[in-house]
């Protein structure tokens, strides 16, 4: 037991990172039943799907679980900027035989809102985690009112202090090695984004709540290193991407097992916000960062038809192949085994 297991109510201070788009209830249940904290990412779920997945977790485990949301501010659609972005994508649409006038419009990812809180209140999960800061104070207070522990990601010392000041129970220190979206919310300056080994001890020194290390942790030695640097626990994402219970696509799984997985970059061509993924054709040719990309999450819509087209042809050239810098933990195994293999790190072992 340590401060984090007491807070989370788990056997081990290990959190399976919520990973929108590549997992649902099955992964969360498997990890919870293995004694760690399984997570359900809700950023891309409709209310109906969210309710179904939460019911599946409630039916699958009696252990504590985490439900995760994005809490960005939804931007005003900007027709001129979106049209300019389509200009960049036009030749790809032509190559794929797709009609650029058929680009779907839609919000892409929806931030935590009242409708989600209404559903969540019925399940009252032990833990609720946020990415991109925290929701408005009234929503935050609502989540806390039914007793959920609240955690969120910090990518800088300032963000960690901000989260503590607004009342989080623990801070996730997300190093720049991490796969998926940077949780950055007080800055968009990528030069502030530093590695887990540099970020973690500085955040541990800056806040008094427990700190959870995330980014690049893929085995028990990595867990031990994070704990030695003052972490109270770890959050691991990429190592679960090829687990039996993840819904990671075939092209994504295949890429994680190739040499390509050793070439990742931060890109915002898929969503409008920087996220780490395996470098593929569209990242190479349009980015990885491109000032023309629409604001998060509006860039998602224009890439979706290209992604669907090429994935149907077995190609991940237009897919967000999210991955951290350390894919060495990606194994096609049940999540319980992946969890079990990380645990010796908590007693200093490998
Ligand atoms: C495929 C993928 C999707 C992710 N989606 C989310 C998400 O929906 N919410 C979130 O808070 N973090 C998300 N993350 C970031 C993780 O919470 C975590 O910071 C990261 O996985 C840790 O680094 P690692 O991937 O090197 O283990 C995602 C990461 C990956 C790899």
């Amino acid at each position: 037991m340590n401060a984090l297991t007491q807070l989370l109510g788990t056997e081990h201070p290990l959190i399976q990172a919520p990973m929108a788009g590549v997992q649902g209830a099955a992964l969360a249940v498997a990890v919870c039943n293995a004694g760690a904290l399984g997570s359900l990412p809700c950023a891309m779920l409709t209310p109906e799907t969210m309710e179904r997945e939460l019911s599946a977790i409630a039916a699958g485990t009696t252990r504590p679980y985490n439900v995760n949301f994005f809490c960005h501010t939804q931007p005003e659609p900007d027709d001129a900027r979106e049209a300019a972005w389509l200009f960049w994508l036009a030749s790809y649409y032509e190559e794929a035989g797709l009609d650029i006038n058929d680009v779907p419009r839609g919000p892409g990812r929806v931030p935590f809102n009242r409708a989600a809180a209404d559903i969540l209140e019925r399940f009252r999960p032990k833990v609720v985690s946020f990415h991109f800061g925290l929701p408005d104070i009234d929503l935050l207070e609502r989540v806390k009112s039914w007793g959920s522990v609240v955690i969120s990601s910090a990518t800088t010392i300032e963000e960690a202090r901000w989260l503590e000041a607004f009342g989080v129970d623990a801070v996730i220190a997300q190093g720049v090695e991490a796969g998926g979206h940077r949780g950055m919310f007080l800055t968009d300056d990528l030069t502030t984004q530093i590695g887990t080994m540099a970020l973690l001890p500085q955040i541990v020194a800056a806040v008094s709540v427990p700190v959870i290390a995330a980014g690049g942790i893929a085995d028990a030695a990595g867990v031990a290193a994070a704990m030695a640097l003052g972490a109270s626990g770890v959050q691991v994402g990429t190592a679960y991407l090829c687990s039996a219970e993840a819904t990671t696509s075939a092209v994504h799984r295949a890429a994680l097992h190739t040499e390509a997985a050793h070439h990742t970059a931060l890109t915002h061509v898929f969503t409008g916000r920087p996220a780490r993924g395996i470098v593929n054709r569209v990242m190479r040719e349009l980015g990885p960062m491109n000032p023309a990309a629409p604001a998060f999450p509006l860039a998602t819509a224009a890439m979706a038809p290209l992604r669907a087209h090429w994935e149907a042809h077995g190609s991940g050239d237009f897919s967000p192949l999210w991955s951290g810098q350390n894919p060495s933990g990606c194994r096609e195994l049940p999540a319980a085994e992946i969890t079990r293999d990380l645990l010796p790190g908590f007693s200093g072992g490998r």
Side-chain angles (χ1 to χ4, degrees):
M1 290 286 274
N2 71 7
L4 191 68
T5 52
Q6 268 171 28
L7 196 61
L8 307 178
T10 55
E11 216 174 306
H12 309 291
L14 168 62
I15 303 175
Q16 164 253 315
M19 296 187 289
V22 298
Q23 63 140 133
L27 178 58
V29 166
V31 173
C32 289
N33 288 337
L37 191 73
S39 301
L40 178 71
C42 294
M44 294 167 70
L45 303 186
T46 61
E48 297 71 34
T49 316
M50 180 182 153
E51 188 155 7
R52 199 183 61 219
E53 294 293 299
L54 285 169
S55 301
I57 297 181
T61 188
T62 53
R63 312 264 182 112
Y65 57 90
N66 169 39
V67 186
N68 171 262
F69 298 91
F70 285 178
C71 47
H72 56 284
T73 306
Q74 200 73 8
E76 288 299 320
D78 178 339
D79 288 346
R81 191 163 167 191
E82 281 161 54
W85 185 235
L86 289 184
F87 179 76
W88 281 83
L89 296 179
S91 62
Y92 298 124
Y93 271 76
E94 204 175 315
E95 179 186 340
L98 298 169
D99 187 347
I100 198 124
N101 300 309
D102 288 344
V103 170
R105 292 184 77 93
R109 288 160 174 83
V110 180
F112 187 57
N113 55 26
R114 278 179 55 187
D118 289 345
I119 297 170
L120 205 57
E121 186 165 14
R122 298 212 301 279
F123 292 89
R124 302 185 174 215
K126 177 76 182 172
V127 184
V128 176
S129 74
F130 295 105
H131 216 41
F132 312 135
L134 289 169
D136 288 346
I137 197 80
D138 53 330
L139 280 174
L140 182 62
E141 289 305 329
R142 233 185 117 185
V143 171
K144 288 182 156 197
S145 73
W146 63 68
S148 292
V149 165
V150 171
I151 62 179
S152 182
S153 299
T155 68
T156 63
I157 297 146
E158 291 71 28
E159 288 176 351
R161 288 204 178 106
W162 187 97
L163 291 173
E164 183 179 41
F166 280 90
V168 296
D169 297 294
V171 168
I172 304 157
Q174 192 199 31
V176 77
E177 301 93 324
H181 284 95
R182 305 293 309 137
M184 56 204 296
F185 61 94
L186 291 183
T187 177
D188 54 12
D189 179 356
L190 287 178
T191 65
T192 62
Q193 300 296 288
I194 60 177
T196 305
M197 194 164 177
L199 181 68
L200 174 62
Q202 296 193 76
I203 289 186
V204 169
V207 299
S208 51
V209 293
V211 179
I212 300 151
I217 301 168
D219 54 22
V223 173
M227 298 306 278
L229 286 173
S232 296
V234 300
Q235 175 160 298
V236 173
T238 298
Y240 285 103
L241 277 175
C242 294
S243 63
E245 294 86 352
T247 56
T248 312
S249 69
V251 289
H252 196 168
R253 282 176 191 260
L256 286 161
H257 293 310
T258 65
E259 211 275 324
H262 297 284
H263 305 268
T264 66
L266 293 177
T267 182
H268 69 176
V269 300
F270 296 108
T271 66
R273 236 181 147 117
R276 183 171 297 285
I278 298 172
V279 175
N280 60 4
R281 179 179 165 198
V282 74
M283 281 168 71
R284 247 190 322 270
E285 293 179 1
L286 289 190
M289 303 298 283
N290 187 320
F296 180 88
L298 301 177
T300 317
M303 202 63 80
L306 293 168
R307 172 188 181 169
H309 173 86
W310 287 109
E311 282 193 9
H313 288 77
S315 163
D317 278 352
F318 291 82
S319 303
L321 303 171
W322 302 144
S323 169
Q325 285 179 334
N326 186 353
S328 66
C330 292
R331 293 169 300 156
E332 306 276 342
L333 287 175
E337 282 186 48
I338 293 170
T339 304
R340 194 194 55 209
D341 288 350
L342 293 164
L343 300 182
F346 293 116
S347 41
R350 297 169 65 89

